[in-house]
Structure formats: structure tokens, C-alpha cells
Amino acid sequence: MTQQEWPLWEVFIRSKQGLDHKHVGSLHAADAAMAVQNARDVYTRRLEGVSIWVVESKHIHASNPDDAEAFFDPAADKVYRHPTFYEVPDSIKHM
Amino acid sequence: MLTQDFTNATATSATEPSLLFPFVLQLADTSLILAHRLSEWCGHGPILEQDLAMANIALDLLGEARSYYQYAAELEGKGRTEDDLAYLRSAVEYRNPLLVEQPNGDFAHTVVRQFLFDNYHYHLLKALKDGPDTHLAGIAEKSFKEAAYHLKWSSEWIIRLGDGTAESWQRLDKAIAALWRFAGELTTPAPAETALQEIGVVPDYATLLPAMQAYAAQVLAEATVPEPTAVFAQQGGKIGRHSEHLGYLLSELQYMQRTYPGMTW
Amino acid sequence: METSEQVLSPEEQFQARIDADIRIEPKDWMPDAYRKTLIRQISQHAHSELVGMLPEGNWITRAPSLKRKSILLAKVQDEAGHGLYLYSAAETLGTTRDQMLADLHSGKAKYSSIFNYPTLSWADMGCVGWLVDGAAILNQVPLCRTSYGPYARAMVRVCKEESFHQRQGFEIMQTLCEGAPEQKAMAQEALNRWWWPTLMMFGPKDADSPNTEQSMKWRIKRFTNDELRQKFVDMMVPQAEFLGLTVPDEKVKWNEERQAYDFGEVNWDEFWAVVKGNGLCNHERLQARVSAHDEGAWVREAALAHAAKRAAKEAVAA
């Protein structure tokens, strides 16, 4: 039997309550339960987290860098989406 | 029976220190020896992720051992330190049960040894953390959380190996046959434990057994391996009668302290 | 249509991004040579962490106190973690950990030669932490700003964790030097053995390191071997003096003009002999890794088989 490698998983950790889960790296595990435990053993040895997500790497779909201009540049000229675009009279508070 | 003379009692403990001392020492020796065995895997595990997992368990146990040794030293009140207790006692003075000194063998042996220990440890700590000795209860409280994780780790590996491939099933079955005979000692009270059970400081092990047995049966069933029946329970470690393995382990563990006595490291 | 002279080639665009300190990410276009060089460099680094567990692991069971035992075990465990972060970074370049391990086991891939020296006394744990990790940190800190994103991020994590490693090594040395005469002698003896091999860790002299220029251009190397070696000597000689130890090199002398220490020539014959597999421990280090991997095969297989069975059961239940 040819040895097959354990699948690769991406690990996301919430460092403290109230924050988003953040990508911290990856690891190998045979199944999801093991991936969570391995993530705990590998990525939280110094109290780095309070919650763990894992997702098998093959399930991640990413945007293509070649599309980056078409994807992201159009947002660059929409300054009206930002609050600083608007002038508010000094006498108006709390806006 | 508990004497009413508390003049030697420490501030944290109302139990006669001389009664408590051998039991705390037994807990310390047990955690240390198992940690030592697990640390032998470091750098040699079946996959990097599991190297990290086993080192984590070893580090937890080592931390527990230190807490117990420090408490034991305090109970004894003779000025010995945690290192004196760990490094300067001979094999016949060690009080760990036989199970934890057994060699690592293959991964299945390590997992079975860990599972038997974790199942006992988890249930023991669950009771000890609510016990009357506050210092001991404090250590148990912290260790209990660690033991819960260890038990999860070893249970899942029992299941994976049992319900894995034909080879892993056979190896697991073999490891169970080799190690199950050391499980009985864990819950057979030694004199030091009986004395404390009589005054309610240590739980009656008979009360722990139903939950332990039910849990083991459930895990083995999931692992599709038969539970051994009519196993002869080996005894002796807790009264200092060890297998031959402990001497070698201690000669390594104690090498530096024995070769260079009285130095600071 | 624009003429080809006016359009930057992919290579030129790539180099322009690197020059502007823009990180390269896994799905970005990159020259094949960049990818290959990085895979080689990162996996070599990962292998060094993995093999590096062995010389220190050798003393976990003999550590002289419970405190030292805990620290050493945690440190060696960190090295497993660092190996894992680095293998993961290399995997983003399209290789697999299995492939990298196969290359290590076949002898095709290299790891740091320092780990082919034996650890013979407890003071070696001091020297490995103080000198070897000290040298590694000099190499690694600049890599936190390396051009390849996943590598840089892995190095940030490694460096953060590594900072305790060198300190614990120095503390071991300091305790020995302040201890009994036997302890101080143990420290000096270990320094005598580790000093020169540590200087070799920075690699051949710049003149004999043909890839340095390209690697620096790609910012996967940020200082030359000789620059780092000099930095190391300048850092370590005063520390050895503080400990009351003597660096085993008669030529070590402060050079006022250069504002740096002069030092003797590394024995390059020894360096190349160890690189080529003739160090005292080359054979057993590699064999230990091969055995761990081979003996673990049935465990990894069992876990996969179980995962497949469980998935099948869940599919039926669903």
C-alpha cells in the first residue's frame, strides 16, 4: 500500500473574545477532530487562543492574482463610501 | 486513625502531614515517571504533529509532578526540595504504580498505557479536586483540566488504531494484552492510600470503578477490540516493588545529580 | 501596440515588486528559479529544526533538575513546531511534506551541519542554546522581512518563540560558570567543542558562496555569510568574557580601526567533510529520522483508514 499523506488543514485562531478568527498557519491531520486537537497542540502553546477553526485546505477558494486589478482597483475611486468624504457643519455633534 | 494533634500541620492542610506525605509522593512519582517515558518520544514520533501532542502531555505531567513534589517536601518538613525527592531516592523508594514505568514499545503500547492511566487519573482528580485537603484539591483542580484533554487524546487514538487497519488492530490488541494487567494496581489501595481513605481525604476507589469501567468499555467497543477478561492484576509499584525497567529509567533520570552531588543547575 | 522594449517582462515586474518591498504571495507569478530556491531554502531550514530536535532530545531524560527538564522539553517541542511552520510555508510553493521528507531521508536535501556534532555533557545544552540558537537568530531575524509572505510570517512566529531559547542556554552557562569548579570546566570544555562548528553555521566564505548575490537580490537572504559571522563573533566574545570563559581562538582580538573583532580561519576541510556526510553523527541523525518515519507509517495509515471509515458512516447516516 502506498502511503498517502494526511490532508492539509488551514488553522484560524481567535486570540481573545471579541476578536475575529485569524489565519495562523496550517498543519496535517487525518480528520477534522484531529485537526482541531493538533491546532491546539501546535498553535496555542503560549495561550495564543480561545477558539479554533480548521478547514481543509482544498476547500479554500481564492481570488486569482491576475484578476487583482479588475477585482480591487474599482473600489479605489469610490471615495464617497468613506465618512471623511462628507463635510459636516461644526455645530452638528455626534455624527 | 487521625490524631487530634495538629501542631505539625501546615497552614494549608488539616490532614496529618505524615499520612498525606506518602500519597502525595506517589502522585508525584507517577506523573514524573510517565512524563519521562513520554519525553523519550520527543523527536521520534510517528508524525510531527503527534510529537508536539505527546510533548504537551509530558509537560503537563511534569508540571503536576513538580507541584506534588513541592507539596510533599513541605509536608515532610525536613528541608528536602522537589529535586531531592525526584533525583535522590532509589527505585525501592519510588511509589509509582508499575504501569507508568513500562517502556514505550510501539505507538500502540504508548497509547494503551496512556489510556489506562488517563482514565484512572481523570476520575481520581475529579474526586480529589473536591477533597478536604485544600492544597491537594488545588493541584487536582488544575490537573483535572489537563487530564480531561489527555483522556480525549488517548481515547481517540485507541479508537483510530482499533478501527483503522488490520495491522493497527493487531498492534493495539497486542498492547492491550501486554498492559491491561497493570491497570488493576491503579485502583487497588496501598496502605498509604487506605489510611487516607478511612478519613475521607482520598476517595474510595470502588466508587470510581463503575465510571472508569463503563468508559473503557465504550471506547474499546468503538475501537472494535475485545475487552480483556480475567486479567491477573500485577501489584507492587506503589509499595516500592517495581519491574526491572524502573532502575534503568532512574539511572538515566538521576545521572547528573548522582554524578555531581550537591550542585546547582 | 506597444513595443516589447516598453513592456516590463514578468521577471522585471517581479523584481520591481521585490525592490519595492511588496511581499510575494503563494498564487502570485514567480520565476521558477525563485520557487525552487525557496523550496530548497525553507525545507532545509525545516529539516534543520527537525534534526535539531535530536542532539537536545538526547539530554531531556538526563536533565539535572525538574525545572531544566521542563524547559528543555518545551524547547525541543518548540523546534518541532518551528519545523512544522516551515514545512507549511514550503507547501504553499507546491511541494508536499512527504516529498520534502523523502528528500531528507534519501540524503538529497541538507540540514544544518551543526546537528551532526554530538552533545556530550549537560553544558552542551547551554552551548546549543547560547551559541547555536544565537547564530540561528542572527540568520532568522532578517528573514522576518524576507520577500515571500508565508516564509516571512513563519519566521515572525519562529523568532518570537525562539527568544527564550537563547536565554535559557545562556542561563545554563551562567549557572555552570558560577557553580563548582567541575561545572565551570564543563562549560569551558563544551565551548571549546562548539565554538568553531557554530562559526561554520553561517556557511562558506562569501567568495565561495555563488548563490548569495541572487538570493540577496530576491531578498530571501538579507546579509552575506561573512557579515553574519562577523556580527556573531562581535556579539559572542564579550558574552564569553562576561561568563569568564575563553573562546578557543588565539586570534580573537578587538580591532579598533574596524570596530570589530578579528578572528581566526574556520577549518573549511572539516566544514566540507561534515556537509558531505562525514560528521560524527550524520549517520545516526539521519537514521533516527528515517526510523521514526518508517515506524510511524502504520500509525499514519491507521488514522487515514479510520477517517475514511468514519466519513463513510457519516455519509450513510446523512
Side-chain angles (χ1 to χ4, degrees):
Chain A
M1 177 173 171
T2 50
Q3 172 80 32
Q4 196 195 340
E5 199 168 19
W6 285 359
L8 193 64
W9 301 73
E10 301 300 323
V11 181
F12 301 81
I13 297 209
R14 185 200 296 289
S15 58
K16 63 178 192 188
Q17 292 298 113
L19 296 182
D20 289 328
H21 285 77
K22 186 170 170 271
H23 183 243
V24 294
S26 52
L27 49 76
H28 289 272
D31 53 48
M34 193 203 275
V36 172
Q37 283 189 34
N38 288 354
R40 179 259 194 196
D41 286 324
V42 173
Y43 288 103
T44 67
R45 303 197 303 287
R46 287 175 170 80
L47 290 171
E48 291 96 333
V50 294
S51 164
I52 296 172
W53 285 352
V54 294
V55 58
E56 210 176 325
S57 307
K58 70 176 184 193
H59 294 311
I60 294 207
H61 300 272
S63 63
N64 188 333
D66 294 342
D67 296 335
E69 287 180 10
F71 263 55
F72 307 115
D73 287 2
D77 65 353
K78 310 239 177 356
V79 286
Y80 47 80
R81 285 184 177 277
H82 299 278
T84 46
F85 179 73
Y86 303 91
E87 269 182 44
V88 179
D90 289 345
S91 55
I92 302 293
K93 306 291 179 201
H94 309 297
M95 186 179 280
Chain B
M1 286 306 287
L2 180 62
T3 68
Q4 293 305 308
D5 175 15
F6 285 102
T7 49
N8 286 329
T10 63
T12 54
S13 170
T15 315
E16 175 63 41
S18 65
L19 279 182
L20 208 44
F21 173 72
F23 177 65
V24 174
L25 200 57
Q26 175 190 316
L27 295 177
D29 290 345
T30 306
S31 291
L32 173 63
I33 298 300
L34 187 55
H36 183 100
R37 280 293 187 221
L38 283 170
S39 78
E40 292 171 358
W41 271 105
C42 193
H44 306 276
I47 188 166
L48 211 38
E49 281 81 353
Q50 291 307 316
D51 247 305
L52 280 134
M54 285 190 279
N56 265 347
I57 298 174
L59 283 168
D60 285 345
L61 291 170
L62 210 45
E64 291 167 20
R66 292 185 65 189
S67 301
Y68 288 132
Y69 279 128
Q70 286 160 12
Y71 185 33
E74 190 184 313
L75 287 167
E76 190 191 36
K78 289 183 183 166
R80 287 207 278 184
T81 65
E82 59 174 46
D83 287 333
D84 293 337
L85 291 172
Y87 289 91
L88 301 175
R89 282 155 57 240
S90 63
V92 291
E93 292 169 282
Y94 257 72
R95 288 291 176 266
N96 61 280
L98 297 167
L99 175 74
V100 295
E101 71 200 39
Q102 298 310 304
N104 286 342
D106 66 3
F107 189 71
H109 279 73
T110 293
V111 163
V112 170
R113 185 184 63 199
Q114 195 64 36
F115 176 71
L116 288 171
F117 174 74
D118 292 340
N119 192 20
Y120 146 80
H121 200 211
Y122 173 88
H123 288 95
L124 174 70
L125 293 172
K126 197 175 179 182
L128 283 181
K129 73 187 172 69
D130 298 324
D133 186 84
T134 49
H135 194 146
L136 191 56
I139 303 173
E141 174 103 46
K142 179 179 175 290
S143 309
F144 176 66
K145 293 178 199 161
E146 296 169 345
Y149 188 80
H150 304 166
L151 182 59
K152 191 173 162 62
W153 181 87
S154 57
S155 304
E156 287 181 8
W157 270 111
I158 293 270
I159 294 166
R160 276 191 201 105
L161 298 183
D163 190 24
T165 62
E167 179 180 4
S168 66
W169 187 94
Q170 269 166 6
R171 285 179 183 263
L172 180 68
D173 192 52
K174 217 171 161 181
I176 287 173
L179 292 167
W180 221 259
R181 63 204 168 106
F182 298 114
E185 187 187 9
L186 301 173
T187 47
T188 308
E193 292 166 298
T194 311
L196 291 169
Q197 285 174 333
E198 282 169 5
I199 56 169
V201 171
V202 169
D204 179 354
Y205 294 153
T207 63
L208 308 181
L209 277 171
M212 283 175 61
Q213 285 165 346
Y215 184 75
Q218 176 206 323
V219 171
L220 291 190
E222 232 184 295
T224 71
V225 281
E227 199 177 339
T229 49
V231 179
F232 179 83
Q234 296 290 344
Q235 307 278 345
K238 294 202 285 196
I239 55 165
R241 297 198 180 156
H242 291 278
S243 60
E244 291 172 347
H245 305 295
L246 186 66
Y248 292 99
L249 188 156
L250 289 183
S251 65
E252 208 172 323
L253 177 88
Q254 300 179 337
Y255 160 68
M256 289 294 291
Q257 291 271 356
R258 299 288 192 185
T259 312
Y260 305 96
M263 296 181 194
T264 304
W265 302 97
Chain C
M1 284 298 284
E2 292 168 302
T3 63
S4 60
E5 285 89 30
Q6 287 166 314
V7 180
L8 290 178
S9 70
E11 280 85 357
E12 286 163 333
Q13 285 181 36
F14 176 81
Q15 189 60 49
R17 293 185 69 180
I18 287 183
D19 294 342
D21 247 335
I22 296 171
R23 296 272 191 277
I24 307 302
E25 294 295 342
K27 294 187 80 181
D28 294 340
W29 184 89
M30 60 187 86
D32 271 349
Y34 176 83
R35 185 185 299 274
K36 273 189 196 141
T37 306
L38 262 183
I39 290 178
R40 193 178 60 225
Q41 181 174 330
I42 301 174
S43 65
Q44 191 169 317
H45 191 165
H47 297 328
S48 299
E49 297 282 356
L50 192 62
V51 178
M53 295 171 75
L54 300 169
E56 287 176 288
N58 183 31
W59 278 88
I60 292 172
T61 54
R62 288 179 291 170
S65 72
L66 295 177
K67 181 182 129 193
R68 291 285 172 214
K69 200 180 182 70
S70 305
I71 294 173
L72 187 59
L73 179 55
K75 176 180 190 282
V76 181
Q77 184 202 36
D78 273 350
E79 282 152 17
H82 298 171
L84 197 151
Y85 307 154
L86 288 159
Y87 283 124
S88 299
E91 281 173 284
T92 64
L93 289 159
T95 183
T96 64
R97 196 195 290 178
D98 262 4
Q99 181 57 53
M100 291 184 270
L101 289 179
D103 289 345
L104 171 69
H105 298 160
S106 72
K108 186 179 157 206
K110 299 279 178 243
Y111 55 87
S112 180
S113 278
I114 193 77
F115 302 120
N116 292 319
Y117 288 85
T119 51
L120 303 176
S121 80
W122 173 250
D124 289 28
M125 296 304 99
C127 278
V128 170
W130 172 45
L131 295 176
V132 175
D133 290 334
I137 288 169
L138 277 185
N139 250 317
Q140 291 169 356
V141 168
L143 290 175
C144 295
R145 295 179 294 118
T146 192
S147 61
Y148 187 58
Y151 189 21
R153 291 192 286 275
M155 290 317 302
V156 167
R157 189 170 276 276
V158 168
C159 288
K160 217 194 266 176
E161 299 186 356
E162 195 93 8
S163 56
F164 105 76
H165 293 184
Q166 199 195 3
R167 287 185 190 185
Q168 67 87 36
F170 187 78
E171 192 190 83
I172 290 175
M173 295 305 278
Q174 200 181 351
T175 308
L176 292 175
C177 291
E178 290 167 359
E182 298 98 302
Q183 288 174 296
K184 177 126 194 213
M186 192 188 280
Q188 181 64 56
E189 191 275 334
L191 174 60
N192 292 348
R193 276 183 291 113
W194 288 96
W195 177 256
W196 288 107
T198 313
L199 291 191
M200 296 176 199
M201 281 176 70
F202 298 99
K205 286 161 80 120
D206 291 349
D208 302 320
S209 180
N211 300 323
T212 295
E213 197 190 332
Q214 178 64 69
S215 290
M216 292 193 53
K217 216 175 136 203
W218 279 334
R219 301 201 181 169
I220 55 178
K221 185 168 180 169
R222 311 213 57 155
F223 294 98
T224 73
N225 297 351
D226 288 336
E227 281 168 359
L228 289 172
R229 196 164 10 244
Q230 180 70 57
K231 254 191 197 186
F232 178 78
V233 173
D234 291 346
M235 192 169 93
M236 286 302 170
V237 171
Q239 292 183 12
E241 278 168 8
F242 173 90
L243 291 171
L245 298 174
T246 310
V247 167
D249 178 359
E250 287 171 1
K251 295 209 172 100
V252 163
K253 197 173 165 235
W254 179 251
N255 183 324
E256 191 59 36
E257 196 181 320
R258 287 203 305 125
Q259 286 294 301
Y261 282 93
D262 291 335
F263 58 98
E265 188 70 22
V266 167
N267 179 347
W268 294 110
D269 291 339
E270 177 182 324
F271 171 79
W272 291 112
V274 181
V275 168
K276 286 179 180 141
N278 295 317
L280 182 61
C281 299
N282 288 64
H283 180 77
E284 59 197 275
R285 297 286 187 249
L286 198 55
Q287 198 47 51
R289 285 313 316 159
V290 171
S291 303
H293 189 76
D294 290 352
E295 284 160 22
W298 69 270
V299 179
R300 298 190 300 275
E301 241 167 64
L304 273 183
H306 177 72
K309 282 185 193 175
R310 191 174 272 189
K313 259 185 226 157
E314 278 162 15
V316 170

